[in-house]
Amino acid sequence: MAKYTEQEIGTLIGWFPALGKDPHFQITSDCTPAYNCIGWALGMNDVWVGLDHPINYAWTWWPKEVPCDEKPGSLIALFEHFGFIECEDASIEEDYDKVALFADEEGWTHAARVIGDNLMHSKIGTAWDIHHSGGNTLDDTMYGTIFAYMKRPISERYLTDIKKPRAGTIIINDI
């Protein structure tokens, strides 16, 4: 893994001050605009899944079968489309993937993979992937608070592969 500079680490702590005291905080990838937190939480590292891309790249995608808006229920519906169901908490369950969904007063904002007891793995916009403590380590800033936890049997990860856009697919966004 690459060593990240104090400036890069400082940038993330500037965005999310609680990371400065988080014993689990670690940058785990280089910056890339190729995917976002929603795609990452669904198991994709090559698709920007959302309403729009902050750099207006053409590969912003949202399944047409799911309501496309900022309502938290639409984000839940997206994860349900990929085989997730709501669950009570972030506690690890054998043979399940879990995610945490975040929202603020304006709508959904973020999704993170739950990867251990009190441990999450997030993609931060077009920036880095990070490990961080669970709960609302990313709150009081851009992402609001966790509004739902969802889980999917590991045996159903294939749903991500069969429902995401295929390589070479031309995605035309409505203007």
Side-chain angles (χ1 to χ4, degrees):
M1 181 178 336
K3 174 145 175 64
Y4 294 94
T5 68
E6 291 297 319
Q7 182 178 2
E8 291 168 313
I9 293 167
T11 296
L12 280 163
I13 292 171
W15 293 341
F16 306 102
L19 291 177
K21 296 181 181 178
D22 185 346
H24 296 298
F25 169 53
Q26 176 183 1
I27 299 173
T28 61
S29 77
D30 292 332
C31 295
T32 178
Y35 61 97
N36 64 342
C37 62
I38 307 302
W40 177 249
L42 287 166
M44 301 179 225
N45 65 357
D46 59 352
V47 180
W48 189 281
V49 181
L51 306 179
D52 57 14
H53 193 291
I55 308 176
N56 293 321
Y57 286 145
W59 59 79
T60 300
W61 176 79
W62 190 273
K64 62 184 171 200
E65 302 86 359
V66 178
C68 185
D69 58 46
E70 295 174 348
K71 295 175 185 171
S74 295
L75 190 60
I76 288 172
L78 172 73
F79 278 82
E80 288 173 341
H81 179 73
F82 286 94
F84 286 82
I85 59 170
E86 286 191 72
C87 60
E88 292 295 315
D89 57 36
S91 62
I92 296 302
E93 294 181 48
E94 190 173 340
D95 299 323
Y96 282 89
D97 290 323
K98 282 199 172 182
V99 295
L101 307 182
F102 293 69
D104 61 18
E105 61 281 347
E106 295 179 23
W108 63 263
T109 57
H110 182 67
R113 293 180 183 175
V114 176
I115 59 170
D117 289 331
N118 197 36
L119 184 61
M120 293 188 180
H121 197 169
S122 287
K123 170 72 162 90
I124 307 298
T126 61
W128 305 270
D129 294 358
I130 65 170
H131 285 172
H132 58 90
S133 291
N136 287 308
T137 305
L138 301 180
D139 72 347
D140 297 326
T141 56
M142 295 183 276
Y143 290 154
T145 58
I146 295 169
F147 72 90
Y149 292 102
M150 300 188 80
K151 68 181 181 179
R152 171 177 70 183
I154 290 170
S155 63
E156 293 186 12
R157 284 181 181 165
Y158 73 91
L159 292 172
T160 294
D161 291 332
I162 65 171
K163 291 186 175 192
K164 77 176 194 174
R166 299 274 157 248
T169 300
I170 296 173
I171 301 168
I172 301 172
N173 293 319
D174 293 332
I175 297 178

